Amino acid sequence: MKNLIVYSTLLIAFSSCASFFNKEKAIIYFQQKIDKAGPENEGREPNYNVDTYWAASPFKIDSSDKFPTGVEQPTITKDADVFFIHPTTYINANGNTYELSGITKNPFRAIRVFQRSPWNADLNDDNVNSKTDILSITNQATAFNESCRIFAPRYRQANIKAFIAPKESLNAKRAFDLAYQDIKNAFQFYLDHYNGGRPIVIASHSQGTVL
């Protein structure tokens, strides 16, 4: 679904360029331009023994604890766990404020934005973490907090451009592989230290599901 949305966005973006390219060639041009090595990802590997590397955990207060105004928090025993893998919230470096709608307004600026962004998120980037907490943990993971403990690892997610790059892109593959390795390590840590034989629900969205 995300690939379809991104492709549709690119189609709209380059419709105004038809005098120079046909739309299909324009999309290929865009994909090839962003499929560059990009800056090195300087973020460190997550240590899941540290609460900072969990966007949601029953062992700290976080966005997954929120309830709608006026709704009482239940007092039932939570006998199951949810391991939640959040979607893509890393759009660009230097603030993470670029809106994808900008592709349609100025696709050539979008190329520059994506080229300057590392392929994977830095877990010390407060802007990315904040977007994860607000858009995903608060709005999605909280669906489970009435009946389950929620574990949602932060991971070096692939930049949104990994979904836009050509299918054969080695840069995109490496980005997804790195993200997957973090998720694999987080889940193994959860099993070894937190599960204790409890039932598990694995929930995910977008990039989280791809991984």
Side-chain angles (χ1 to χ4, degrees), residues 31-77:
Q31 292 175 315
Q32 290 175 340
K33 281 294 184 181
I34 68 169
D35 189 23
K36 305 295 182 182
E40 289 294 323
N41 180 5
E42 298 179 354
R44 66 180 61 181
E45 182 178 352
N47 176 4
Y48 292 111
N49 193 41
V50 179
D51 285 347
T52 303
Y53 293 105
W54 293 92
S57 167
F59 307 115
K60 67 175 186 175
I61 297 174
D62 55 61
S63 297
S64 70
D65 298 317
K66 295 182 179 180
F67 277 78
T69 302
V71 176
E72 292 187 9
Q73 298 188 25
T75 57
I76 64 172
T77 301

Side-chain angles (χ1 to χ4, degrees), residues 2 19 21 43 54 57 78 81 109 115 119 141 146 190 206:
K2 181 177 286 291
S19 59
F21 311 102
W54 293 92
S57 167
K78 299 179 180 181
D81 292 342
R109 177 174 181 268
Q115 285 180 339
W119 282 87
E146 184 176 0
Y190 158 78
S206 186

Side-chain angles (χ1 to χ4, degrees), residues 85-125:
I85 309 169
H86 69 75
T88 307
T89 56
Y90 168 44
I91 308 302
N92 70 291
N94 303 319
N96 200 40
T97 57
Y98 184 76
E99 298 292 339
L100 290 180
S101 59
I103 296 176
T104 62
K105 298 174 183 177
N106 189 338
F108 298 104
R109 177 174 181 268
I111 289 172
R112 294 193 298 272
V113 168
F114 290 136
Q115 285 180 339
R116 295 169 183 169
S117 298
W119 282 87
N120 292 85
D122 181 345
L123 294 184
N124 294 318
D125 188 327

Side-chain angles (χ1 to χ4, degrees), residues 155-175:
Y155 63 99
R156 289 171 291 180
Q157 58 179 290
N159 183 270
I160 189 70
K161 65 182 176 181
F163 288 96
I164 306 174
K167 290 183 179 180
E168 65 276 11
S169 169
L170 293 179
N171 290 311
K173 181 182 185 303
R174 283 191 288 264

